Amino acid sequence: MTTSHIICPLALQARYRPHAPAVVGPACTWTFADLEAHIRTAQHALQQDAQLQGASIGLLPRRDVQTLAWLWAGWRERRRVVLVSRRWTPDERADALQMAGVATCLADDDDALPAAAPVAVHPRSRRAEDASVQARSCASTLQLQGDATVIFTSGSTGQPKGVVHAWRSHFYSARGAASVMPLRSTDCWALSLPLYHIGGLAIVMRAALAGAAVALLNNPVRDWTTRRITHGSLVATQLKRLLEATDGPPPPWLRGLLVGGGPVPAGLLDEAHARGWPVHTTYGSTEMGSQVTTTPPGASRETLATAGHVLPHRELAVRDTGELAVRGPTRCRAYLTPTGRTQSFDADGWLGTGDVGHLDAEGRLHITGRVDHQFISGGENIQPETVERALQALPQVARAVVVPVPDEEFGARPVAFVEPAPGTAFAPGCYRTGLQGRLARFKHPDRYLLWPDDLPNRMKIDRAALRNRAQQACD
Ligand SMILES: O=C(O)CCC(=O)c1ccccc1C(=O)O
């Protein structure tokens, strides 16, 4: 097999644009020459330090220049960099690292892992590179094939699994992203997502390939409006905060805000669009190296309601069940699970996403729900999320969840739990009228039930529990 290498894009920048900004911090800026020196120091440690040997190296990332240096150093030294979340407990981190075959994890504190863990902690912060390190020969190429990163996702099952990407996934992800959000070397992308998430890591790749800077900020809202940040990646909640903390149009230098990681509420899109904020909606996944589809610059409000079109270097297919499947050069290589390395792809390389959706006549992706939530009623597929969205668009509804209950005639019928909007009473008749003309008749819930107030107030609603309750109520 031929192994393909590419020159590390940061090494190129360090050679040809050494004084250009690479990392913009809250207090200072590092040039590409500075960043290169940090990377070489880290590469030197990876070559020399007995504790840092082995094919995989763990990293508990922070948003700082050392973390960026370790990432690039690991890749240049052909290591697999295993990123673990700062939000996890020490035990959870140790389990994940062990699953990925890591012997040593780069972290700041000795208590980053449990004392008894079979994974060692190595100090992440290294300072003062000396001249001898600089002179030493360090690889400045990247291998496109071969494992480059492991990022953990909890998926829909709750059991964390490691998603293994080759460097080529990240490379093609960034390349394709540039088709809708072209970056210039004078641009600066704010690193507003953690680096143990694909959305954070993807920022590093996009900026590196374009020779643009990455901004490490403390106070997103303030920094966004006072620094010359041209691009950002946000989840809907961050966009909401940004719009609340500002008035009117965006700063004139802001060119693109990628908003992903889940659906964006319609009201939020209305406001961003009306105020002229350069929002791009997107659909992606850890498995696909971040974006699969994205809306173009200057998209209409109607287009922003979709997830946009498929980017280069990705393929998307809609299965007979309505489930979306993905493949292409940005797709992950494998999953790491407690029982070993698995490939959940079919014979043609397609990976089922668990999401249900369709492409419209203009090639824009509409996500309508999760495959494991949908049910068949009288031979027709119903996606609870579609009914929920229609209900939540009514002013009298704060929150709605739709579940199927068994039905003799139709197999299953939808039942809705509704939390009335503040100051309104629970009013099934009003919801029924409200849905008229907005939703196909067969999707209208047969019954409305009041939102149970003893339901745990978790981020993710327990649909199985609601299903049981609905069934009891209908018996
Ligand atoms: O949904 C996912 O798991 C990926 C989400 C993601 O990567 C993302 C999340 C927020 C903003 C931008 C991006 C992105 O695709 O780069």
Side-chain angles (χ1 to χ4, degrees):
M1 193 186 127
T2 315
T3 312
S4 35
H5 301 272
I6 59 159
I7 181 90
C8 173
L10 290 184
L12 275 184
Q13 297 300 326
R15 191 177 309 158
Y16 297 113
R17 299 172 62 239
H19 307 300
V23 181
V24 177
C28 69
T29 293
W30 289 269
T31 64
F32 283 105
D34 297 333
L35 182 56
E36 181 70 14
H38 278 284
I39 295 171
R40 281 168 171 259
T41 305
Q43 277 186 271
H44 178 64
L46 288 174
Q47 289 168 8
Q48 300 293 316
D49 202 309
Q51 206 187 21
L52 297 179
Q53 302 313 304
S56 297
I57 185 93
L59 177 58
L60 195 58
R62 278 188 186 280
R63 261 173 278 175
D64 62 14
V65 78
Q66 276 88 11
T67 296
L68 296 174
W70 281 118
L71 278 172
W72 290 99
W75 293 326
R76 289 192 195 178
E77 293 297 320
R78 313 283 183 261
R79 305 300 178 80
R80 182 165 87 169
V81 183
V82 181
L83 292 154
V84 285
S85 170
R86 306 198 65 84
R87 296 223 183 128
W88 295 352
T89 65
D91 281 310
E92 288 170 327
R93 291 174 195 154
D95 287 348
L97 289 168
Q98 254 188 293
M99 195 155 95
V102 167
T104 304
C105 180
L106 299 153
D108 296 291
D109 326 303
D110 291 340
D111 58 359
L113 298 174
V119 181
V121 173
H122 187 91
R124 199 189 55 97
S125 313
R126 289 191 157 254
R127 271 157 236 104
E129 64 285 344
D130 60 63
S132 64
V133 170
Q134 293 282 326
R136 199 171 282 275
S137 79
C138 282
S140 55
T141 59
L142 299 164
Q143 196 185 331
L144 283 180
Q145 275 83 19
D147 294 0
T149 43
V150 178
I151 296 181
F152 290 89
T153 73
S154 52
S156 45
T157 58
Q159 183 65 250
K161 45 185 182 176
V163 175
V164 185
H165 276 292
W167 215 79
R168 99 176 171 150
S169 307
H170 301 307
F171 177 79
Y172 283 109
S173 171
R175 274 287 187 84
S179 69
V180 276
M181 297 176 79
L183 279 191
R184 306 174 193 142
S185 62
T186 47
D187 285 340
C188 179
W189 200 307
L191 188 56
S192 41
L193 296 171
L195 282 167
Y196 50 79
H197 274 178
I198 193 68
L201 202 60
I203 294 170
V204 173
M205 307 297 171
R206 296 185 199 117
L209 287 188
V214 164
L216 312 169
L217 307 172
N218 288 332
N219 177 334
V221 170
R222 187 198 59 214
D223 294 340
W224 280 68
T225 41
T226 56
R227 313 294 285 259
R228 208 187 152 280
I229 288 170
T230 57
H231 293 81
S233 298
L234 306 174
V235 294
T237 324
Q238 291 173 308
L239 176 64
K240 184 163 183 281
R241 285 195 207 125
L242 188 57
L243 291 181
E244 276 167 4
T246 52
D247 302 308
W253 47 79
L254 188 66
R255 293 215 317 281
L257 281 181
L258 188 58
V259 187
V264 189
L268 192 55
L269 285 178
D270 284 340
E271 181 171 1
H273 183 69
R275 283 170 53 182
W277 285 67
V279 165
H280 297 256
T281 45
T282 179
Y283 166 74
S285 63
T286 306
E287 287 84 341
M288 287 298 280
S290 79
Q291 302 152 276
V292 174
T293 64
T294 300
T295 49
S300 65
R301 175 64 187 82
E302 184 205 339
T303 295
L304 283 180
T306 75
H309 59 262
V310 182
L311 297 177
H313 313 301
R314 294 84 164 146
E315 284 179 71
L316 183 121
V318 184
R319 290 178 167 162
D320 294 342
T321 55
E323 186 187 16
L324 300 171
V326 287
R327 70 174 185 187
T330 69
R331 199 211 62 207
C332 60
R333 307 184 76 204
Y335 284 112
L336 303 180
T337 69
T339 51
R341 191 176 173 114
T342 61
Q343 297 206 326
S344 315
F345 320 123
D346 72 16
D348 298 316
W350 291 105
L351 172 68
T353 60
D355 295 312
V356 179
H358 61 270
L359 292 168
D360 65 22
E362 284 165 51
R364 299 171 300 193
L365 177 66
H366 298 250
I367 305 279
T368 49
R370 289 287 300 171
V371 77
D372 49 352
H373 296 166
Q374 72 179 358
F375 57 92
I376 295 170
S377 179
E380 297 268 15
N381 255 330
I382 296 185
Q383 279 134 38
E385 292 93 337
T386 311
V387 186
E388 290 159 11
R389 264 194 301 276
L391 279 169
Q392 276 159 193
L394 304 176
Q396 303 86 355
V397 175
R399 194 155 49 155
V401 173
V402 171
V403 292
V405 292
D407 182 276
E408 276 185 16
E409 191 182 351
F410 295 100
R413 286 296 301 149
V415 165
F417 286 94
V418 173
E419 183 186 359
T424 69
F426 178 65
C430 155
Y431 312 143
R432 254 183 218 111
T433 323
L435 289 189
Q436 248 146 63
R438 292 171 178 245
L439 197 68
R441 190 59 225 152
F442 73 94
K443 296 182 188 171
H444 286 219
D446 273 8
R447 285 186 67 169
Y448 289 90
L449 300 168
L450 181 61
W451 189 273
D453 25 275
D454 59 334
L455 202 70
N457 206 358
R458 291 210 206 96
M459 284 281 282
K460 219 170 183 166
I461 30 163
D462 186 350
R463 285 178 186 265
L466 285 176
R467 241 169 131 135
N468 286 337
R469 287 186 196 230
Q471 204 167 328
Q472 278 162 18
C474 296
D475 274 348

